[in-house]
Amino acid sequence: MKSPDISIRTYEEATDLQALSTIWFEASLHAHAFIGRERLLEQRILIETQYLPSAETWVACHQGKPAGFISLLGTFIGGLFVAPEYQGHGIGRLLVAHALKLKGELRLEVYTENAQAFSFYKSLGFEELSRRAEDDEGLPFENADMLLKG
C-alpha cells in the first residue's frame, strides 16, 4: 500500500464513531501500554462522548475503510492515531501534512515514553518546546510539548 491509495475526508459521527474509537483503542494499547488497559478503557468512553464530537477530525481511508485519523482543536493535535495494521505506510505523515496545510502550524503533546511517536514527530520537523512531568490527569507520565510551523 502506498499513499495514493489513501483518501482523507471529514469525520462523520454516524458512520465513523465506532471505527475511530476502535482505531484509537487498538493503537493506544500498543503505544500507551504503560498507561494500563483499565485506564485506556475509561479514556475510550471520553473519546467517544467528548473528544471526537468536539474536535475537527479528519479520517484517512484505504479503499473506503478508516485506517487512521487526526483530531484538531484549533491548531492543537488532540490525537493522531493509525490502526496498527496500517502503521508504517505513511498515513500519519499524510494526516499531519493535511492538517498543517489547513492550519499553518501545529502543536501537540506526546508521552515521552512513547518513543516511536516522539521520534516520528521529530522526523516531521516538530520542535520540542517544553516538558511536564505529569499528564492532564496528574499522573506521572511525562509529556513533551511540540510545535511544527508550515
Side-chain angles (χ1 to χ4, degrees):
M1 175 181 65
K2 296 190 171 115
S3 54
D5 297 336
I6 302 299
S7 61
I8 297 176
R9 61 169 174 75
T10 59
Y11 169 73
E12 298 170 15
E13 186 171 356
T15 56
D16 292 331
L17 180 63
Q18 285 307 310
L20 299 196
S21 173
T22 298
I23 289 170
W24 176 87
F25 186 68
E26 290 175 355
S28 293
L29 281 174
H30 174 73
H32 303 149
F34 55 90
I35 291 176
R37 185 180 180 88
E38 249 182 71
R39 184 163 176 243
L40 290 174
L41 285 168
E42 291 170 6
Q43 288 179 342
R44 186 175 186 176
I45 295 167
L46 295 175
I47 294 297
E48 293 175 358
T49 61
Q50 292 179 21
Y51 298 129
L52 282 173
S54 66
E56 174 187 350
T57 299
W58 296 90
V59 183
C61 296
H62 177 249
Q63 297 178 346
K65 177 186 174 194
F69 67 95
I70 190 167
S71 291
L72 304 168
L73 302 164
T75 60
F76 186 82
I77 298 175
L80 171 64
F81 293 91
V82 176
E85 64 269 25
Y86 289 106
Q87 291 180 7
H89 295 283
I91 293 172
R93 287 180 182 278
L94 286 172
L95 286 165
V96 169
H98 179 78
L100 186 60
K101 185 177 177 183
L102 291 172
K103 303 296 181 178
E105 74 174 33
L106 297 170
R107 202 165 175 166
L108 59 83
E109 283 193 348
V110 61
Y111 290 113
T112 57
E113 197 167 332
N114 184 353
Q116 183 178 357
F118 187 73
S119 294
F120 169 74
Y121 292 124
K122 286 182 86 171
S123 76
L124 293 179
F126 278 85
E127 293 183 22
E128 184 175 337
L129 302 175
S130 64
R131 289 187 183 207
R132 61 186 173 112
E134 298 176 339
D135 68 7
D136 291 338
E137 295 175 21
L139 296 171
F141 301 116
E142 184 180 70
N143 277 272
D145 182 22
M146 302 182 86
L147 175 69
L148 177 65
K149 292 187 177 188

